[in-house]
Amino acid sequence: MSRDALKTLFHPFETGVIDPPGEGERVLFLGAEAGYRLPEGFGASIASVQPLRPLYRALEAERADVAPVVTGEDYDVALILCGKHKGENEDRIAEALKRTRDGALIVVAGGKEDGIQSLKKRIAKFEWDGDHLPKYHGVAFWFTRPEDVTDAVQKLAKVPVRVDGLFAASPGMFSHDRIDAGSELLASRLPRDFNGHAADFGAGWGYLAVKLAEASPGTKGIDLFEADHDALEAARVNMPANAPRMPARFYWFDLTSEEPRDKYDLIVMNPPFHEGHAAEPALGVAIIKAAHKALKQGGKVMLVANRGLQYEQVLAETFKEYGETCRNARFKVLWGKR
């Protein structure tokens, strides 16, 4: 079932408040998600952009024209479906301004949890021609692309971050502006004498993989699996920059539905427990089970989790042995042996 913000986005076209783009016109859809129904008269071609692998695959299953990164220019219309990160939402508007023609229509929609009201107010300060329409617990607002977008793009485009002066990251990625405290705790407990093949499940921008390379330089190689295409691209930069001697491979992967082809002696991870906006501990459980399948016999998984998450049950059900390495006020480091 599609989330309400997706219905909010197409509502102005459904009601005739905005004329739908017709045959021969080109639409750029940023943050696209599957499950929408095109309003009557919406005959334009749609180029969808979705960097998150599960959402990308859902669009692919609907035979949408979808890519993980933006390509093309001079689009007639841009649609923007907001997510939960302010910097990423603003950056999508900047991207739409860069990729559309002068006079193009740009439509933005999101729910309260996406910060849509504050985003609408921020864009209103540019005083572009437009309007808005609330529906389905959210708001759609739209405006006409001005001729000169230089100032707006500069103000809205996300600024890359250097974490600890060592790691490249940017808004929208998990823990994009600091080292996550849970990952840091796990990094402090990584083995110092490991010499097998390792993987980082949910690698983000590569922090744990780099730390494993530092702790155990004899590691034969590390494979990084990550569902966020943008974060994986950052990891491609951060691994050679911080662990230049460590062989590394990078996989844009949905570990809940795609199975790695190789088997590993060690898997490290800080499993996500949010899917979209909702807390979903089952996501972490699914990735723990995926790790069990991807381990060699006798292989080990090491993971960090919020203390309140009861991953011990799935470890007990799935692994031959399991235990806890340490904990602090917020996190615990657990392990399981196949």
Side-chain angles (χ1 to χ4, degrees):
M1 183 177 175
S2 62
R3 63 185 178 100
D4 284 346
L6 194 54
K7 294 187 283 186
T8 303
L9 180 63
F10 286 96
H11 183 64
F13 299 106
E14 286 269 12
T15 54
V17 176
I18 302 175
D19 291 331
E23 295 278 349
E25 292 191 278
R26 298 163 60 242
V27 175
L28 175 65
F29 190 177
L30 298 170
E33 293 184 21
Y36 60 85
R37 183 179 62 85
L38 288 178
E40 190 176 342
F42 200 116
S45 62
I46 300 177
S48 298
V49 180
Q50 178 50 258
L52 297 180
R53 183 74 175 169
L55 299 179
Y56 171 94
R57 295 188 78 214
L59 283 159
E60 208 175 35
E62 292 189 350
R63 302 192 176 183
D65 174 12
V66 59
V69 294
V70 188
T71 58
E73 55 188 19
D74 291 330
Y75 287 94
D76 302 292
V77 176
L79 305 176
I80 300 168
L81 187 64
C82 290
K84 60 185 177 180
H85 197 284
K86 173 188 171 185
E88 193 170 43
N89 292 334
E90 291 185 358
D91 186 68
R92 283 176 179 166
I93 294 177
E95 199 64 53
L97 290 168
K98 289 189 287 182
R99 300 284 180 170
T100 50
R101 60 168 175 78
D102 178 18
L105 175 71
I106 298 176
V107 186
V108 184
K112 292 176 184 177
E113 70 277 12
D114 303 312
I116 190 65
Q117 293 288 6
S118 60
L119 181 63
K120 182 169 76 72
K121 287 177 186 175
R122 174 142 167 73
I123 299 305
K125 291 177 182 177
F126 291 104
E127 299 183 338
W128 297 322
D129 291 334
D131 207 343
H132 71 279
L133 189 64
K135 190 66 176 178
Y136 302 115
H137 311 291
V139 175
F141 68 87
W142 58 91
F143 55 89
T144 303
R145 182 204 186 272
E147 185 178 353
D148 185 1
V149 299
T150 308
D151 178 58
V153 168
Q154 189 174 15
K155 288 176 178 174
L156 294 170
K158 62 186 175 185
V159 179
V161 176
R162 297 292 297 177
V163 181
D164 270 20
L166 298 171
F167 302 97
S170 61
M173 300 174 191
F174 171 69
S175 194
H176 82 278
D177 57 353
R178 68 197 181 285
I179 293 168
D180 172 68
S183 294
E184 195 169 32
L185 180 64
L186 175 54
S188 72
R189 297 299 191 273
L190 291 173
R192 305 242 159 224
D193 56 355
F194 178 71
N195 59 7
H197 289 101
D200 183 352
F201 275 17
W205 40 261
Y207 171 76
L208 280 175
V210 167
K211 288 297 169 182
L212 178 58
E214 289 176 356
S216 288
T219 301
K220 290 186 173 69
I222 304 174
D223 288 354
L224 289 78
F225 292 84
E226 173 54 46
D228 179 352
H229 190 275
D230 297 339
L232 188 67
E233 291 304 297
R236 287 184 196 274
V237 173
N238 291 326
M239 275 301 287
N242 294 284
R245 293 184 179 85
M246 180 59 59
R249 297 184 296 183
F250 304 86
Y251 296 95
W252 185 42
F253 229 70
D254 176 10
L255 287 160
T256 67
S257 63
E258 297 178 277
E259 198 168 317
R261 66 169 187 250
D262 293 317
K263 301 292 182 185
Y264 300 98
D265 302 294
L266 173 67
I267 295 175
V268 299
M269 61 176 169
N270 181 352
F273 60 95
H274 283 85
E275 188 163 28
H277 298 273
E280 186 51 78
L283 187 60
V285 169
I287 295 176
I288 291 169
K289 289 180 177 178
H292 178 265
K293 283 185 182 179
L295 282 169
K296 296 176 184 176
Q297 204 64 35
K300 188 175 181 181
V301 64
M302 295 185 69
L303 66 111
V304 66
N306 288 34
R307 282 180 53 160
L309 291 171
Q310 301 303 311
Y311 288 147
E312 289 86 351
Q313 184 177 344
V314 67
L315 289 168
E317 291 169 354
T318 312
F319 289 84
K320 186 167 67 176
E321 300 173 39
Y322 78 98
E324 180 180 304
T325 302
C326 67
R327 66 170 56 205
N328 61 22
R330 294 174 59 200
F331 302 103
K332 57 190 175 184
V333 174
L334 305 173
W335 60 270
K337 185 176 179 181
R338 177 163 182 174

Coordinates of all heavy atoms in Angstrom, one line a residue, residues 217-299:
P217 N 44.6 -5.6 9.9 CA 45.2 -5.4 8.6 C 45.4 -6.7 7.8 O 45.6 -6.6 6.5 CB 46.5 -4.6 8.8 CG 46.8 -4.9 10.2 CD 45.5 -5.1 10.9
G218 N 45.4 -7.8 8.4 CA 45.6 -9.1 7.7 C 44.4 -9.6 7.1 O 44.4 -10.7 6.4
T219 N 43.3 -8.9 7.2 CA 42.0 -9.4 6.6 C 42.2 -9.5 5.1 O 42.8 -8.6 4.5 CB 40.9 -8.3 6.9 OG1 40.7 -8.2 8.3 CG2 39.6 -8.7 6.3
K220 N 41.7 -10.6 4.5 CA 41.9 -10.9 3.1 C 41.1 -9.9 2.2 O 41.5 -9.6 1.1 CB 41.5 -12.3 2.8 CG 42.5 -13.3 3.3 CD 42.2 -14.7 2.8 CE 43.2 -15.7 3.3 NZ 43.2 -16.0 4.7
G221 N 40.0 -9.4 2.7 CA 39.2 -8.5 1.9 C 37.9 -8.2 2.6 O 37.4 -9.0 3.5
I222 N 37.3 -7.1 2.3 CA 36.0 -6.7 3.0 C 35.0 -6.4 1.8 O 35.3 -5.5 1.0 CB 36.1 -5.5 3.9 CG1 37.2 -5.8 5.0 CG2 34.8 -5.2 4.6 CD1 37.5 -4.6 5.9
D223 N 33.8 -7.0 1.9 CA 32.7 -6.6 1.0 C 31.7 -5.8 1.7 O 31.3 -6.1 2.8 CB 32.0 -7.9 0.5 CG 32.9 -8.7 -0.5 OD1 34.0 -8.2 -0.9 OD2 32.5 -9.8 -0.9
L224 N 31.4 -4.6 1.1 CA 30.4 -3.7 1.7 C 29.1 -3.8 1.0 O 29.0 -3.6 -0.2 CB 31.0 -2.3 1.6 CG 32.2 -1.9 2.5 CD1 33.5 -2.4 1.9 CD2 32.3 -0.4 2.7
F225 N 28.1 -4.1 1.8 CA 26.7 -4.2 1.3 C 25.9 -3.0 1.9 O 25.8 -2.8 3.1 CB 26.0 -5.5 1.7 CG 26.7 -6.7 1.1 CD1 27.8 -7.3 1.6 CD2 26.1 -7.3 -0.1 CE1 28.4 -8.4 1.0 CE2 26.7 -8.4 -0.7 CZ 27.8 -8.9 -0.1
E226 N 25.2 -2.3 1.0 CA 24.5 -1.1 1.4 C 23.3 -0.8 0.5 O 23.4 -0.9 -0.7 CB 25.4 0.1 1.5 CG 24.7 1.4 1.8 CD 23.9 1.4 3.0 OE1 24.4 0.9 4.1 OE2 22.7 1.9 3.0
A227 N 22.1 -0.5 1.1 CA 20.9 -0.3 0.3 C 20.8 1.1 -0.2 O 20.1 1.4 -1.2 CB 19.7 -0.6 1.1
D228 N 21.5 2.1 0.4 CA 21.4 3.5 0.0 C 22.6 3.7 -1.0 O 23.7 3.7 -0.7 CB 21.6 4.4 1.2 CG 21.6 5.9 0.8 OD1 21.6 6.2 -0.4 OD2 21.5 6.7 1.8
H229 N 22.2 3.9 -2.3 CA 23.2 4.1 -3.3 C 24.1 5.3 -3.1 O 25.3 5.2 -3.3 CB 22.4 4.3 -4.7 CG 23.3 4.3 -5.9 ND1 24.0 5.4 -6.3 CD2 23.6 3.3 -6.7 CE1 24.7 5.0 -7.4 NE2 24.5 3.8 -7.6
D230 N 23.6 6.4 -2.5 CA 24.4 7.5 -2.2 C 25.5 7.2 -1.2 O 26.6 7.6 -1.3 CB 23.6 8.7 -1.8 CG 22.6 9.2 -2.9 OD1 22.9 8.9 -4.1 OD2 21.6 9.9 -2.5
A231 N 25.0 6.5 -0.1 CA 26.0 6.1 1.0 C 27.1 5.2 0.4 O 28.2 5.3 0.8 CB 25.2 5.5 2.1
L232 N 26.7 4.3 -0.4 CA 27.6 3.3 -1.0 C 28.7 4.0 -1.8 O 29.9 3.7 -1.8 CB 26.9 2.3 -1.8 CG 27.8 1.1 -2.3 CD1 28.2 0.2 -1.1 CD2 27.0 0.2 -3.3
E233 N 28.2 5.1 -2.6 CA 29.2 5.8 -3.4 C 30.2 6.6 -2.5 O 31.3 6.7 -2.8 CB 28.4 6.8 -4.3 CG 27.7 6.2 -5.4 CD 28.5 5.3 -6.3 OE1 29.5 5.8 -6.9 OE2 28.3 4.0 -6.3
A234 N 29.7 7.0 -1.3 CA 30.6 7.6 -0.3 C 31.6 6.6 0.2 O 32.8 6.9 0.4 CB 29.8 8.3 0.8
A235 N 31.1 5.4 0.5 CA 32.0 4.3 0.9 C 33.1 4.0 -0.1 O 34.2 3.7 0.3 CB 31.2 3.1 1.3
R236 N 32.7 4.1 -1.4 CA 33.7 3.9 -2.4 C 34.9 4.9 -2.4 O 36.0 4.6 -2.8 CB 33.1 4.0 -3.8 CG 32.2 2.8 -4.2 CD 31.7 3.0 -5.6 NE 30.6 2.2 -6.0 CZ 30.6 1.0 -6.4 NH1 31.9 0.4 -6.6 NH2 29.6 0.3 -6.7
V237 N 34.6 6.0 -1.8 CA 35.6 7.1 -1.6 C 36.4 6.8 -0.3 O 37.6 6.9 -0.2 CB 35.0 8.5 -1.6 CG1 36.0 9.5 -1.3 CG2 34.3 8.8 -3.0
N238 N 35.6 6.5 0.7 CA 36.2 6.4 2.1 C 37.1 5.2 2.3 O 38.1 5.3 3.0 CB 35.1 6.4 3.1 CG 34.4 7.8 3.2 OD1 35.0 8.8 3.0 ND2 33.1 7.7 3.4
M239 N 36.8 4.1 1.7 CA 37.6 2.9 1.9 C 39.0 3.1 1.3 O 40.0 3.0 2.1 CB 37.0 1.7 1.2 CG 36.0 1.0 2.1 SD 36.7 0.4 3.7 CE 37.6 -1.0 3.2
P240 N 39.2 3.5 0.0 CA 40.6 3.7 -0.4 C 41.3 4.8 0.2 O 42.5 4.8 0.3 CB 40.4 3.9 -1.9 CG 39.0 4.3 -2.1 CD 38.2 3.6 -1.0
A241 N 40.5 5.8 0.7 CA 41.1 7.0 1.3 C 41.7 6.7 2.7 O 42.7 7.2 3.1 CB 40.1 8.1 1.4
N242 N 41.0 5.8 3.4 CA 41.4 5.5 4.8 C 41.9 4.1 5.0 O 42.5 3.8 6.1 CB 40.1 5.6 5.7 CG 39.7 7.1 5.8 OD1 40.3 7.9 6.5 ND2 38.6 7.4 5.1
A243 N 41.7 3.2 4.1 CA 42.3 1.8 4.2 C 42.8 1.4 2.8 O 42.3 0.4 2.2 CB 41.2 0.9 4.7
P244 N 43.8 2.1 2.3 CA 44.2 1.9 0.9 C 44.7 0.5 0.5 O 44.7 0.1 -0.6 CB 45.3 3.0 0.7 CG 45.8 3.3 2.1 CD 44.6 3.1 2.9
R245 N 45.2 -0.2 1.5 CA 45.8 -1.6 1.3 C 44.7 -2.7 1.4 O 45.0 -3.8 1.1 CB 46.9 -1.8 2.2 CG 48.1 -0.9 2.0 CD 49.3 -1.3 2.9 NE 50.4 -0.5 2.7 CZ 50.6 0.7 3.2 NH1 49.7 1.2 4.1 NH2 51.7 1.5 3.0
M246 N 43.5 -2.4 1.8 CA 42.5 -3.4 2.0 C 41.7 -3.6 0.7 O 41.0 -2.7 0.3 CB 41.6 -3.0 3.2 CG 40.5 -4.0 3.5 SD 41.2 -5.6 3.9 CE 42.2 -5.2 5.4
P247 N 41.7 -4.8 0.2 CA 40.8 -5.1 -0.9 C 39.4 -5.0 -0.5 O 39.0 -5.5 0.5 CB 41.2 -6.6 -1.3 CG 42.5 -6.9 -0.7 CD 42.6 -6.0 0.6
A248 N 38.6 -4.3 -1.3 CA 37.2 -4.0 -1.0 C 36.3 -4.1 -2.2 O 36.7 -3.7 -3.3 CB 37.0 -2.7 -0.3
R249 N 35.1 -4.7 -2.0 CA 34.1 -4.7 -3.1 C 32.8 -4.1 -2.6 O 32.6 -4.1 -1.4 CB 33.9 -6.1 -3.6 CG 35.1 -6.8 -4.2 CD 34.8 -8.2 -4.7 NE 34.4 -9.1 -3.7 CZ 34.1 -10.4 -3.9 NH1 34.2 -10.9 -5.1 NH2 33.8 -11.2 -2.9
F250 N 32.0 -3.5 -3.4 CA 30.9 -2.7 -3.0 C 29.7 -3.2 -3.7 O 29.6 -3.4 -5.0 CB 31.1 -1.2 -3.4 CG 32.4 -0.7 -2.7 CD1 33.6 -0.8 -3.4 CD2 32.4 -0.1 -1.5 CE1 34.8 -0.3 -2.8 CE2 33.5 0.4 -0.9 CZ 34.7 0.3 -1.6
Y251 N 28.6 -3.5 -2.9 CA 27.4 -4.0 -3.5 C 26.2 -3.2 -3.1 O 25.9 -3.0 -1.9 CB 27.2 -5.4 -3.0 CG 28.2 -6.4 -3.5 CD1 29.3 -6.7 -2.7 CD2 28.2 -7.0 -4.7 CE1 30.3 -7.6 -3.1 CE2 29.1 -7.9 -5.2 CZ 30.2 -8.2 -4.4 OH 31.2 -9.0 -4.8
W252 N 25.5 -2.6 -4.1 CA 24.2 -1.9 -3.8 C 23.1 -3.0 -3.7 O 22.8 -3.7 -4.7 CB 23.9 -1.0 -5.0 CG 22.7 -0.2 -4.8 CD1 22.3 0.5 -3.6 CD2 21.7 0.2 -5.8 NE1 21.1 1.1 -3.8 CE2 20.7 1.0 -5.1 CE3 21.5 -0.2 -7.1 CZ2 19.6 1.5 -5.8 CZ3 20.4 0.3 -7.8 CH2 19.5 1.1 -7.1
F253 N 22.6 -3.2 -2.5 CA 22.0 -4.5 -2.1 C 20.8 -4.3 -1.2 O 21.0 -3.5 -0.2 CB 23.0 -5.4 -1.5 CG 23.0 -6.8 -2.1 CD1 23.5 -7.0 -3.4 CD2 22.6 -7.9 -1.4 CE1 23.6 -8.3 -3.9 CE2 22.7 -9.2 -1.9 CZ 23.2 -9.4 -3.2
D254 N 19.7 -5.0 -1.3 CA 18.7 -5.1 -0.3 C 18.8 -6.5 0.3 O 18.4 -7.5 -0.2 CB 17.3 -5.0 -1.0 CG 16.2 -5.2 0.0 OD1 16.4 -5.3 1.2 OD2 15.0 -5.3 -0.5
L255 N 19.5 -6.5 1.5 CA 19.8 -7.7 2.2 C 18.6 -8.5 2.7 O 18.7 -9.7 3.0 CB 20.7 -7.5 3.3 CG 22.2 -7.1 2.9 CD1 22.9 -6.4 4.0 CD2 22.9 -8.4 2.5
T256 N 17.4 -7.8 2.7 CA 16.2 -8.5 3.1 C 15.6 -9.4 2.0 O 14.7 -10.2 2.2 CB 15.1 -7.6 3.6 OG1 14.7 -6.7 2.5 CG2 15.7 -6.7 4.7
S257 N 16.0 -9.1 0.7 CA 15.4 -9.9 -0.4 C 16.5 -10.4 -1.4 O 16.1 -11.1 -2.3 CB 14.4 -9.0 -1.1 OG 15.0 -7.9 -1.6
E258 N 17.7 -9.9 -1.3 CA 18.8 -10.4 -2.2 C 19.8 -11.1 -1.4 O 20.2 -10.7 -0.3 CB 19.4 -9.2 -2.9 CG 18.4 -8.4 -3.8 CD 19.0 -7.2 -4.5 OE1 19.1 -6.1 -3.8 OE2 19.4 -7.3 -5.7
E259 N 20.3 -12.2 -2.0 CA 21.3 -13.1 -1.2 C 22.7 -12.9 -1.8 O 22.9 -13.1 -3.0 CB 20.8 -14.5 -1.3 CG 21.4 -15.4 -0.3 CD 20.8 -16.8 -0.2 OE1 19.5 -16.9 -0.3 OE2 21.5 -17.8 -0.2
P260 N 23.6 -12.5 -0.9 CA 25.0 -12.4 -1.4 C 25.5 -13.8 -2.0 O 25.1 -14.8 -1.5 CB 25.8 -12.1 -0.1 CG 24.8 -11.4 0.8 CD 23.5 -12.1 0.5
R261 N 26.4 -13.7 -3.0 CA 26.8 -14.9 -3.6 C 28.0 -15.6 -2.9 O 28.2 -16.8 -3.1 CB 27.2 -14.6 -5.1 CG 28.4 -13.7 -5.3 CD 28.8 -13.7 -6.7 NE 30.1 -13.0 -6.9 CZ 30.2 -11.8 -7.5 NH1 29.1 -11.2 -8.0 NH2 31.3 -11.2 -7.6
D262 N 28.7 -14.8 -2.1 CA 29.9 -15.4 -1.4 C 29.6 -15.7 0.1 O 28.6 -15.2 0.6 CB 31.0 -14.4 -1.5 CG 31.5 -14.2 -2.9 OD1 31.7 -15.2 -3.6 OD2 31.8 -13.1 -3.3
K263 N 30.5 -16.4 0.7 CA 30.3 -16.8 2.1 C 31.5 -16.1 2.9 O 32.6 -16.0 2.3 CB 30.4 -18.3 2.3 CG 29.2 -19.0 1.6 CD 27.9 -18.7 2.2 CE 26.8 -19.5 1.5 NZ 25.4 -19.2 2.0
Y264 N 31.3 -15.8 4.1 CA 32.2 -15.0 4.9 C 32.6 -15.7 6.2 O 31.8 -16.4 6.8 CB 31.7 -13.6 5.1 CG 31.3 -12.9 3.8 CD1 30.0 -12.9 3.3 CD2 32.3 -12.3 3.1 CE1 29.8 -12.2 2.1 CE2 32.1 -11.6 1.9 CZ 30.8 -11.6 1.4 OH 30.5 -11.0 0.2
D265 N 33.8 -15.3 6.6 CA 34.3 -15.8 7.9 C 33.8 -14.8 9.1 O 33.7 -15.3 10.2 CB 35.8 -15.8 8.0 CG 36.4 -16.7 6.9 OD1 36.2 -17.9 7.0 OD2 37.0 -16.2 6.0
L266 N 33.6 -13.6 8.7 CA 33.1 -12.6 9.7 C 32.2 -11.6 9.0 O 32.5 -11.1 7.9 CB 34.3 -11.8 10.3 CG 34.0 -10.7 11.2 CD1 33.3 -11.1 12.5 CD2 35.3 -9.9 11.5
I267 N 31.1 -11.3 9.6 CA 30.2 -10.2 9.2 C 30.0 -9.2 10.3 O 29.7 -9.6 11.5 CB 28.8 -10.7 8.7 CG1 29.0 -11.6 7.5 CG2 27.9 -9.6 8.4 CD1 27.7 -12.3 7.0
V268 N 30.3 -7.9 10.1 CA 30.0 -6.9 11.1 C 28.9 -6.1 10.6 O 28.6 -5.9 9.4 CB 31.3 -6.0 11.3 CG1 32.5 -6.9 11.8 CG2 31.7 -5.3 10.0
M269 N 28.1 -5.5 11.6 CA 27.0 -4.7 11.2 C 26.4 -3.9 12.3 O 26.4 -4.3 13.5 CB 25.9 -5.5 10.5 CG 25.3 -6.6 11.3 SD 23.9 -7.4 10.4 CE 23.6 -8.8 11.4
N270 N 25.8 -2.8 11.9 CA 25.0 -2.0 12.8 C 23.6 -2.0 12.1 O 23.3 -1.1 11.3 CB 25.5 -0.6 12.9 CG 24.7 0.3 13.8 OD1 23.6 -0.1 14.3 ND2 25.2 1.5 14.1
P271 N 22.8 -3.0 12.3 CA 21.6 -3.2 11.4 C 20.6 -2.1 11.6 O 20.4 -1.6 12.7 CB 21.0 -4.5 11.9 CG 21.6 -4.7 13.3 CD 22.9 -4.1 13.3
P272 N 20.0 -1.6 10.5 CA 19.0 -0.5 10.6 C 17.7 -1.1 11.2 O 17.4 -2.3 11.1 CB 18.7 -0.2 9.1 CG 19.1 -1.4 8.4 CD 20.2 -2.0 9.1
F273 N 17.0 -0.3 12.0 CA 15.7 -0.8 12.5 C 14.6 0.2 12.2 O 13.6 0.3 12.8 CB 15.8 -1.0 14.0 CG 16.2 0.2 14.9 CD1 15.2 0.9 15.5 CD2 17.5 0.5 15.0 CE1 15.6 2.0 16.2 CE2 17.9 1.6 15.8 CZ 16.9 2.3 16.4
H274 N 14.8 1.1 11.2 CA 13.8 1.9 10.6 C 13.6 1.6 9.1 O 14.6 1.5 8.4 CB 14.1 3.4 10.8 CG 13.9 3.9 12.2 ND1 14.8 3.7 13.2 CD2 12.8 4.4 12.8 CE1 14.3 4.2 14.3 NE2 13.1 4.7 14.1
E275 N 12.4 1.5 8.7 CA 12.1 1.4 7.3 C 11.2 2.6 6.9 O 10.1 2.7 7.3 CB 11.4 0.1 7.0 CG 11.3 -0.2 5.5 CD 11.0 -1.7 5.2 OE1 10.4 -2.3 6.0 OE2 11.4 -2.1 4.1
G276 N 11.8 3.5 6.1 CA 11.0 4.7 5.8 C 10.9 5.5 7.1 O 11.8 5.8 7.8
H277 N 9.6 5.8 7.5 CA 9.4 6.6 8.7 C 9.1 5.7 9.9 O 9.3 6.2 11.0 CB 8.2 7.5 8.4 CG 8.4 8.4 7.3 ND1 8.9 9.7 7.5 CD2 8.1 8.3 6.0 CE1 9.0 10.3 6.3 NE2 8.5 9.5 5.4
A278 N 8.8 4.5 9.7 CA 8.3 3.7 10.9 C 9.5 2.9 11.5 O 10.3 2.4 10.8 CB 7.2 2.8 10.4
A279 N 9.5 2.8 12.8 CA 10.4 1.9 13.5 C 10.0 0.5 13.2 O 8.8 0.1 13.3 CB 10.3 2.1 15.0
E280 N 10.9 -0.3 12.7 CA 10.6 -1.7 12.2 C 11.7 -2.6 12.6 O 12.6 -2.9 11.8 CB 10.4 -1.6 10.7 CG 9.9 -2.9 10.1 CD 8.7 -3.5 10.8 OE1 7.6 -3.0 10.6 OE2 8.8 -4.4 11.6
P281 N 11.7 -3.1 13.9 CA 12.8 -4.0 14.3 C 12.9 -5.3 13.5 O 14.0 -5.9 13.4 CB 12.4 -4.3 15.8 CG 11.5 -3.2 16.2 CD 10.8 -2.8 15.0
A282 N 11.8 -5.6 12.8 CA 11.9 -6.8 11.9 C 12.9 -6.7 10.8 O 13.4 -7.7 10.3 CB 10.5 -7.1 11.3
L283 N 13.2 -5.4 10.5 CA 14.2 -5.2 9.4 C 15.6 -5.7 9.9 O 16.3 -6.4 9.2 CB 14.3 -3.7 9.1 CG 15.2 -3.2 8.0 CD1 14.7 -3.8 6.7 CD2 15.1 -1.7 7.9
G284 N 15.9 -5.4 11.2 CA 17.2 -5.8 11.8 C 17.2 -7.4 11.9 O 18.2 -8.0 11.6
V285 N 16.1 -7.9 12.3 CA 16.0 -9.4 12.4 C 16.2 -10.0 11.0 O 17.0 -11.0 10.9 CB 14.6 -9.8 12.9 CG1 14.3 -11.3 12.7 CG2 14.4 -9.4 14.3
A286 N 15.6 -9.5 10.0 CA 15.8 -10.0 8.6 C 17.3 -10.0 8.2 O 17.8 -10.9 7.6 CB 15.0 -9.3 7.6
I287 N 18.0 -8.9 8.5 CA 19.4 -8.8 8.2 C 20.3 -9.7 9.0 O 21.3 -10.3 8.5 CB 19.9 -7.3 8.3 CG1 19.1 -6.5 7.2 CG2 21.4 -7.2 8.0 CD1 19.3 -5.0 7.3
I288 N 19.9 -10.0 10.2 CA 20.6 -11.0 11.0 C 20.5 -12.3 10.4 O 21.5 -13.1 10.3 CB 20.1 -10.9 12.5 CG1 20.6 -9.6 13.2 CG2 20.7 -12.1 13.3 CD1 19.9 -9.4 14.5
K289 N 19.3 -12.7 10.0 CA 19.1 -14.0 9.3 C 19.9 -14.1 8.0 O 20.4 -15.1 7.7 CB 17.6 -14.2 9.1 CG 16.8 -14.5 10.4 CD 15.3 -14.7 10.1 CE 14.6 -15.0 11.4 NZ 13.1 -15.1 11.1
A290 N 19.9 -12.9 7.3 CA 20.7 -12.9 6.0 C 22.2 -13.1 6.3 O 22.9 -13.8 5.6 CB 20.5 -11.6 5.3
A291 N 22.7 -12.6 7.5 CA 24.1 -12.8 7.8 C 24.3 -14.3 8.1 O 25.4 -14.8 7.8 CB 24.4 -11.9 9.1
H292 N 23.4 -14.9 8.8 CA 23.6 -16.3 9.1 C 23.7 -17.1 7.8 O 24.6 -18.0 7.7 CB 22.4 -16.9 9.9 CG 22.4 -18.3 10.2 ND1 21.8 -19.3 9.4 CD2 23.1 -19.0 11.2 CE1 22.1 -20.5 9.9 NE2 22.9 -20.3 11.0
K293 N 22.9 -16.9 6.8 CA 23.0 -17.6 5.6 C 24.3 -17.3 4.8 O 24.8 -18.1 4.1 CB 21.9 -17.1 4.6 CG 20.5 -17.7 5.0 CD 19.5 -17.3 3.9 CE 18.1 -17.9 4.2 NZ 17.2 -17.5 3.2
A294 N 24.9 -16.1 5.0 CA 26.1 -15.7 4.3 C 27.4 -16.0 5.0 O 28.4 -15.8 4.5 CB 26.0 -14.2 4.0
L295 N 27.3 -16.6 6.2 CA 28.5 -17.0 6.9 C 28.9 -18.4 6.5 O 28.1 -19.3 6.3 CB 28.2 -17.0 8.4 CG 28.3 -15.6 9.1 CD1 27.7 -15.7 10.5 CD2 29.7 -15.0 9.1
K296 N 30.2 -18.6 6.5 CA 30.8 -20.0 6.4 C 30.5 -20.7 7.7 O 30.2 -20.1 8.8 CB 32.3 -20.0 6.2 CG 32.7 -19.3 4.9 CD 34.2 -19.2 4.8 CE 34.7 -18.5 3.5 NZ 36.1 -18.3 3.5
Q297 N 30.6 -22.1 7.7 CA 30.4 -22.9 8.9 C 31.5 -22.4 9.9 O 32.7 -22.4 9.5 CB 30.6 -24.4 8.6 CG 29.9 -25.3 9.6 CD 28.4 -25.1 9.6 OE1 27.8 -24.9 8.6 NE2 27.8 -25.2 10.8
G298 N 31.1 -22.1 11.1 CA 32.1 -21.6 12.1 C 32.3 -20.1 12.0 O 33.0 -19.5 12.8
G299 N 31.7 -19.4 11.0 CA 31.8 -18.0 10.9 C 31.1 -17.2 11.9 O 30.2 -17.8 12.6

